[in-house]
Amino acid sequence: MGHTLKHSLLYLACVSALYVSHESQAQDTSEEKEVEVVQVLGIRSSLTGALDNKRSADSVVDSISAEDLGKFPDQNIAESLQRISGVFIDRQSGEGSKITVRGFGPEFNTVRLNNRTIATIETGEVDYFFSDVNLSRAFDFQALAAEVLSGADVVKSPTSDMWEGSLGASVNMRTARPLDSIGFHMSGSAQARYQDLGEEWGPRLSGLVSNTFAEDSMGLLFAVSYEDRKTRLEEHRGGAWSYYNGPTVDSDEVVEFRFPQEMGQSFTIDDRKRLSINSTFQYEPSADMGMTVDALYVDFKRTTTTQGINAPMQFPFFSNVETDENGTATSFVKTFGPVDYRYEEGGGDSETVALGWNGFLYLDNGVSFNADVSWSRATARNDATRIQAAIKDNNPWNDPLEPGSIDDPRAGETSPDFETNIITWENSDVPSWSTSLDLADPANARAHVALTPSIELEDEVFESKFDVGFELDSGAIRGFQTGAFYSDRKKAALPFNSGIYRPSSAEGPFDPGYNSAGTLFSDSNFVAPFDPTDGIQAPWEAINVPNGPRPNMGGRFFSLPSDIFTPISVPGLLSDSGASFPTSFLLTDKDGYCEAVRQGSGNNDVCSSQARPDLARDVQETTYGAYVRLDLDGEFNGFPWTANLGLRYVETDTSASGPSVELIRIDPVDADGATSGLDYVTTERQIVEKKNSYSNLLPSLNAKVSLSDNVDLRGAVAKVITRPNLGDITPNQSFSGLYGLSTRRSNNTDLQPYEAWQYDASLEYYADNGNAFSISLFYKDIETFISESTELVPSGFSHPAFGEVIFRDTTDRNRDGGSIQGYELAGLMYFDFLPGFLSNAGIQANYTFVTGQDDEALASPQNLPLATAPGNGLEGFTPHSYNVVAFYEDDDFSARVSWNWRDQFLVKRAGLAGIAEHFDAYGQLDIGFGYALSENTKITLDVSNLFDENTIRFADVRERVILNEYTGRRFLLGVRSTF
């Protein structure tokens, strides 16, 4: 870091010296400073500004602009970006969170603020077992308020002076600048946010003040926004679709089908509070020199609480099974299955701080200098809780609803008073099902799961860049630019997890996993609750002795106090689905549940949390290099043309650390190999550090020919990269398996980046009245890809009965990639040719078609029973998508109606249960209205998801629903003033 600061300070010193040497000359000139005043007001001005950016850009770019100072077209910046052709969004709690561009997901798109990387952390994301600590590159748009932005550019073909790292697109969000609007300006809005599903109101406030001083050579802008919103989500969860092949309870005939591994309905309250503060200082004593200082602070808090019911379906006791042509169980009756009460908490607190300095200097001889230095840091503590009380059917090994007494003989008999749980299920997007148990009776609830992990995350980024430009007039050469850059990014994760008792130690240790059967008390399951000497149940006092055996909580032996549950009836839960399922159940008090389990088990670590430095992960990525760019223009057969040709060289060094073990040997459980068991003797788990280094040479060419005053033809070619996910290069290795075939799972610390050649062409028409139409073609040839694969490799060890032990070696590997191609159609038309008020209307629309193939993926066919292989399609690629925006605007009234639609697409080639996962087609209608009460004040109403659409994720075929989520409609009613 010291050498980074040294370089940055050197840059600052050089530019500052140039300021001093040139300032007197700038102050002596009698030439008045020319200031371009950009007044962005209303829908039409916003569209015009976006088109101006697109047409004047050096490469293939699409833009969005603010309608007014501090007023963006949508409630969320990601939802504004989706209006751009080729841009799709991922939603969280119904609102845009991440973007996909031309089929490339969030990890493949760089997102910057004022052309600087901003540290980002996903608030509320916790992996319960820390098997996939998320050290993602993806930018979460929910952490940034749209009110602080003036616009955003989506660059689809890069130039050599741009930061590298994107196979999809480079998104640059721009904040407002005080010298863009000379004088004093102030705007503010107050809105009330309402969600119909949760019937909750919340405030959304924003304000912006800007002023210029010292004869308009200095400017200061300050913006603040605050939002407190609470939303309700309702969902059906189906989980993995498991495979069954065998007899059923009512028949000896073998039946083959797939069924959902779980089934449940729940509602979630998502409470978010976000405070954003942004300030900018500008100083430009002349048009030839200036500097800008930016500061950003974001405090984002999120809390989610989920309550509902869930029926695990993994126990194979089926009857009355009916299947469809795909082998999907469409209905069945199930016995010997539990029903769980679902209580989950999530969320966390995050803070983001970003600082940036930029300076420029233009000399009279055509030489220019530009320097930029930035730093940002994001920190978060994400917490999660999973509490599951449960009801289980009567089984021959225990009597969970009748603990009995010391005088009761057990002998495997069941209580005649206990009613067997029977689940009757019918398949649909939200299945109908029923149970014979009273889910609203606290007396039926038993202790089951208590899991409370947390994780602390930090992301810190330092960047510096120094550019030198030369204006030239030598034939077709108009300019030459070169520069150097340096970036240092560090992401770290420190997990915390639940306390778990191990018989070998009275105090612990802490270890990942459930506080439930098979993990928390696995070594004492065969002891409690019976006295093995006489088959009589031991008194609870004898069981709960220090360092002694613990009762089996997973078997639901604990009766729980009734006052920790609240019976509730939710008849409106998923009411639009038309399904019939239990809507009366118990809400769980977390603290009461945890205390009851602590007392009942004698384990005081239940629901506690302890830092796990032995599971910590850390990645530092340093990039540095240089670039050259040549700007050209001329005329060919009467057609003006411009072009830029460049070359970028970048070195990447990574240092990653994480928890791992090394294999010493593999031993059979029995010396003579009588069983299939294997013991994996490994070193103690320790933090291991691995380094990697690679370099890339990235050429680029962008050209534009003006076929007329209104028609431009563009073409571009470039080599692009995306670096591996930071979490995937942290050391991690584990071993498991039986017989002579074992599994080794590990991360790959030597991954090389994704690499692709991309080609773009577009024909653009710009009418004098502002109408615009374009068609764009694109093709990406992915030379190097990254995907998880399994290879069979010798382990070097043998089993006495099964011979050589072979590893199924599963890890991420570099391989040949596929290709994608597609086209985009976009149009903007004003209806100014119509009479009267109709001339104030217009329409904007775009359509994107993307297709891709990954032939390498076919080399490892899944061959899973009753599962259709996903073919050679690439993950995340949506074949068809379109946006249509109709608008109207006059002096007093404005209206906007927006429809966004995205086709079904492949999410994972191998998801839950190893079969492909898909996201169903989704469309959403948003509307917005504004009415001017005066020249400075307007009332507004915005409605998102007017048709109350739901999202569906499914496995393999459409009827196998994994998750069906309803987010409801969202309303924003407010008043806005600008002065």
Side-chain angles (χ1 to χ4, degrees), residues 235-545:
E235 70 173 34
H236 157 68
R237 187 180 296 271
W241 279 77
S242 300
Y243 173 73
Y244 182 78
N245 185 14
T248 58
V249 173
D250 57 340
S251 173
D252 292 333
E253 182 180 351
V254 173
V255 182
E256 182 185 29
F257 58 91
R258 284 194 176 270
F259 66 96
Q261 191 164 308
E262 62 178 316
M263 173 183 56
Q265 289 75 37
S266 60
F267 63 91
T268 299
I269 304 300
D270 190 332
D271 191 0
R272 305 182 181 200
K273 297 177 176 62
R274 181 183 59 210
L275 172 67
S276 298
I277 301 173
N278 178 66
S279 63
T280 300
F281 170 75
Q282 280 187 290
Y283 174 56
E284 294 185 12
S286 76
D288 296 327
M289 62 188 310
M291 61 177 290
T292 304
V293 180
D294 295 290
L296 173 71
Y297 172 79
V298 180
D299 182 15
F300 185 40
K301 293 179 172 61
R302 182 184 178 209
T303 303
T304 62
T305 304
T306 300
Q307 301 245 34
I309 49 177
N310 189 65
M313 311 283 275
Q314 65 266 33
F315 304 103
F317 292 88
F318 298 95
S319 62
N320 300 87
V321 179
E322 295 182 10
T323 63
D324 64 12
E325 67 277 6
N326 295 315
T328 304
T330 57
S331 68
F332 53 76
V333 174
K334 208 165 183 305
T335 59
F336 188 46
V339 176
D340 296 337
Y341 299 105
R342 183 181 177 194
Y343 178 93
E344 294 181 13
E345 287 183 359
D349 297 346
S350 69
E351 283 190 343
T352 303
V353 179
L355 301 173
W357 177 92
N358 178 271
F360 68 90
L361 175 63
Y362 301 129
L363 301 181
D364 292 338
N365 59 3
V367 178
S368 62
F369 301 89
N370 188 287
D372 195 276
V373 180
S374 64
W375 170 88
S376 63
R377 182 176 64 189
T379 57
R381 163 86 181 228
N382 293 339
D383 299 304
T385 296
R386 181 180 293 175
I387 296 295
Q388 286 177 220
I391 299 175
K392 191 174 184 180
D393 67 320
N394 211 8
N395 66 64
W397 295 282
N398 59 58
D399 190 348
L401 295 182
E402 185 63 43
S405 68
I406 194 171
D407 299 323
D408 291 338
R410 297 292 297 241
E413 296 182 3
T414 61
S415 168
D417 299 326
F418 179 62
E419 187 176 13
T420 301
N421 181 20
I422 299 176
I423 298 172
T424 305
W425 179 80
E426 295 178 1
N427 182 40
S428 64
D429 289 348
V430 179
S432 295
W433 64 283
S434 61
T435 176
S436 61
L437 295 171
D438 183 1
L439 303 184
D441 185 357
N444 288 341
R446 296 295 180 269
H448 182 23
V449 173
L451 184 62
T452 53
S454 301
I455 191 166
E456 289 184 353
L457 297 164
E458 181 175 357
D459 184 14
E460 186 173 16
V461 183
F462 181 90
E463 289 181 346
S464 59
K465 187 170 182 280
F466 184 68
D467 307 301
V468 181
F470 303 89
E471 291 184 6
L472 302 174
D473 188 8
S474 176
I477 300 176
R478 289 293 175 265
F480 175 77
Q481 186 176 327
T482 185
F485 52 89
Y486 178 92
S487 174
D488 184 78
R489 185 170 197 173
K490 182 177 181 180
K491 279 209 166 194
L494 175 62
F496 292 67
N497 68 309
S498 307
I500 291 183
Y501 172 83
R502 296 291 186 191
S504 61
S505 169
E507 291 76 25
F510 286 68
D511 205 57
Y514 279 93
N515 286 356
S516 64
T519 302
L520 178 57
F521 307 122
S522 59
D523 292 341
S524 58
N525 286 348
F526 297 101
V527 179
F530 300 107
D531 183 342
T533 60
D534 57 9
I536 304 298
Q537 180 185 14
W540 293 109
E541 292 79 8
I543 297 171
N544 293 334
V545 294

Side-chain angles (χ1 to χ4, degrees), residues 641-884:
W641 61 270
T642 61
N644 61 79
L645 174 67
L647 188 64
R648 186 176 184 88
Y649 175 78
V650 57
E651 288 269 0
T652 303
D653 297 329
T654 62
S655 176
S657 63
S660 189
V661 298
E662 295 296 330
L663 182 66
I664 298 175
R665 66 180 187 273
I666 301 176
D667 295 333
V669 172
D670 298 325
D672 58 358
T675 69
S676 60
L678 296 171
D679 284 334
Y680 297 88
V681 182
T682 67
T683 60
E684 292 291 328
R685 184 170 56 205
Q686 56 186 337
I687 300 297
V688 176
E689 183 178 2
K690 297 288 186 178
K691 297 182 182 295
N692 191 19
S693 181
Y694 49 85
S695 60
N696 298 95
L697 194 61
L698 308 174
S700 64
L701 170 66
N702 292 271
K704 180 178 73 172
V705 179
S706 296
L707 303 180
S708 71
D709 292 341
N710 303 106
V711 179
D712 293 336
L713 175 66
R714 290 183 185 270
V717 59
K719 188 172 185 180
V720 292
I721 64 169
T722 288
R723 297 179 177 88
N725 190 321
L726 292 171
D728 293 340
I729 63 174
T730 58
N732 189 27
Q733 184 170 242
S734 62
F735 302 88
S736 63
L738 295 172
Y739 308 102
L741 196 61
S742 297
T743 297
R744 175 173 63 192
R745 299 191 67 91
S746 62
N747 286 345
N748 188 345
T749 59
D750 296 321
L751 286 174
Q752 300 292 301
Y754 300 84
E755 295 179 319
W757 279 95
Q758 65 176 39
Y759 307 88
D760 291 87
S762 66
L763 185 64
E764 304 164 0
Y765 170 77
Y766 302 91
D768 295 336
N769 68 340
N771 292 348
F773 304 93
S774 66
I775 178 171
S776 302
L777 309 176
F778 57 89
Y779 177 83
K780 294 177 186 282
D781 181 12
I782 306 172
E783 293 185 328
T784 306
F785 202 71
I786 299 173
S787 64
E788 184 180 85
S789 62
T790 299
E791 297 179 356
L792 299 180
V793 298
S795 69
F797 300 94
S798 297
H799 187 282
F802 301 100
E804 184 180 17
V805 177
I806 302 297
F807 274 142
R808 289 175 296 206
D809 189 22
T810 302
T811 187
D812 286 329
R813 293 182 172 89
N814 288 112
R815 63 171 176 85
D816 292 339
S819 63
I820 73 158
Q821 51 275 329
Y823 60 87
E824 299 167 348
L825 303 174
L828 170 65
M829 177 178 288
Y830 297 107
F831 296 159
D832 47 12
F833 56 89
L834 295 177
F837 72 94
L838 295 177
S839 63
N840 297 315
I843 189 168
Q844 181 185 32
N846 61 65
Y847 166 79
T848 301
F849 171 77
V850 180
T851 183
Q853 61 182 43
D854 186 0
D855 293 332
E856 179 93 1
L858 297 178
S860 301
Q862 292 173 298
N863 294 327
L864 297 174
L866 298 181
T868 304
N872 63 352
L874 288 167
E875 296 175 343
F877 288 79
T878 302
H880 307 278
S881 64
Y882 64 87
N883 296 278
V884 179

